[in-house]
Amino acid sequence: MANTVLRVRLIGGDRMDITYDRSDIADEDEVMEHVISTLAQDSGMLRTQHGDRLVVLYGRGVAAIEFAPRGAVL
């Protein structure tokens, strides 16, 4: 299972750190490619976590993504 932390910058300028888990993909590079290809689609969305909350991230609102397999760089 690959667990990745994404630092997302939204089009409005806000930033947030969210966790994305994929139990069917073991390689972190594959998870990264999956995230990029999903959010690049017009109707792309990801189910992620922010603490205990479920966050649905839609590709149309994302300006940039940073990947950190061990946590966000602060």
Side-chain angles (χ1 to χ4, degrees):
M1 175 167 110
N3 181 353
T4 302
V5 175
L6 308 172
R7 172 165 284 170
V8 180
R9 187 175 62 203
L10 303 173
I11 290 176
D14 293 330
R15 287 187 224 167
M16 61 190 313
D17 293 337
I18 55 177
T19 305
Y20 181 65
D21 297 321
R22 282 296 301 252
S23 59
D24 59 333
I25 301 175
D27 185 32
E28 293 169 356
D29 290 334
E30 288 181 43
V31 171
M32 192 167 39
E33 289 300 320
H34 172 74
V35 167
I36 293 168
S37 64
T38 299
L39 294 178
Q41 298 173 13
D42 290 336
S43 61
M45 65 168 221
L46 295 174
R47 293 173 58 101
T48 61
Q49 292 285 123
H50 181 71
D52 293 337
R53 297 179 182 194
L54 172 67
V55 176
V56 179
L57 184 66
Y58 293 93
R60 64 181 176 257
V62 174
I65 299 174
E66 295 177 36
F67 292 88
R70 296 184 187 172
V73 179
L74 299 175

